[in-house]
Amino acid sequence: MTEHDQEHGAAGDLDPAAALDLPLARKTLDAQPFSRLVRAEVTAFGDGAATLEIPVRDELRQQNGFVHGGVLAYAADNGITFAAGTVLGAAVLTSGFTIQYVRPATGARLVARATVAEATRRQAVVRCDLFAVADDGTESLCALAQGTVRATST
């Protein structure tokens, strides 16, 4: 749930007090046009963690054939915000995040696994590991991200 979408809900109708679960997380992500464009999917959600997966296709690659860094940053931002949403609730904003690219992303799928490292009532610090997954299922760490997400009042 990115800054805008999680604060305002899926298509503007998410009740911040509603119980957040995997089906609702998927609905929220699907309400984001850019997420549909990259074909992102939330595959795990709850207990301070979230996993986002993106099938790699040519439109997501840069000129050397690697997954574009912007796609990795998108996955990190969304993974961080969704993971924070599991502990802070639906109304959250990403305050900021950093990303370190450690190797080019190649393969069939990109997986962003985010975990809340520390949280208070109003804020969460989240780590996100991004993996490129080969056709045979082998995972290679391609980027690390960390972000701070804060709860907003609605």
Side-chain angles (χ1 to χ4, degrees):
M1 299 175 199
T2 65
E3 305 80 52
H4 177 78
D5 291 316
Q6 193 155 355
E7 180 179 13
H8 297 286
D13 63 357
L14 180 63
D15 176 3
L20 298 176
D21 58 12
L22 183 58
L24 184 55
R26 287 179 171 158
K27 178 182 176 185
T28 301
L29 186 70
D30 191 56
Q32 300 173 12
F34 188 77
S35 293
R36 289 193 311 271
L37 178 72
V38 298
R39 300 182 189 156
E41 179 184 3
V42 178
T43 57
F45 180 84
D47 298 323
T51 301
L52 189 79
E53 298 191 29
I54 300 171
V56 174
R57 58 189 204 278
D58 285 341
E59 296 86 356
L60 303 181
R61 298 179 195 276
Q62 43 88 299
Q63 71 279 4
N64 295 313
F66 305 124
V67 177
H68 193 283
V71 175
L72 288 143
Y74 155 83
D77 180 32
N78 270 270
I80 286 167
T81 308
F82 272 85
T86 70
V87 298
L88 297 177
V92 298
L93 290 170
T94 299
S95 297
F97 77 98
T98 61
I99 187 166
Q100 299 297 313
Y101 301 101
V102 296
R103 76 177 40 86
T106 62
R109 201 169 72 241
L110 179 66
V111 176
R113 290 190 188 104
T115 307
V116 173
E118 187 66 35
T120 65
R121 248 179 357 100
R122 306 260 318 133
Q123 176 175 288
V125 175
V126 183
R127 174 191 169 124
C128 185
D129 298 332
L130 294 109
F131 298 91
V133 183
D135 287 326
D136 68 1
T138 304
E139 294 185 353
S140 298
L141 182 68
C142 56
L144 302 164
Q146 179 175 299
T148 303
V149 178
R150 64 181 177 87
T152 63
S153 51
T154 55

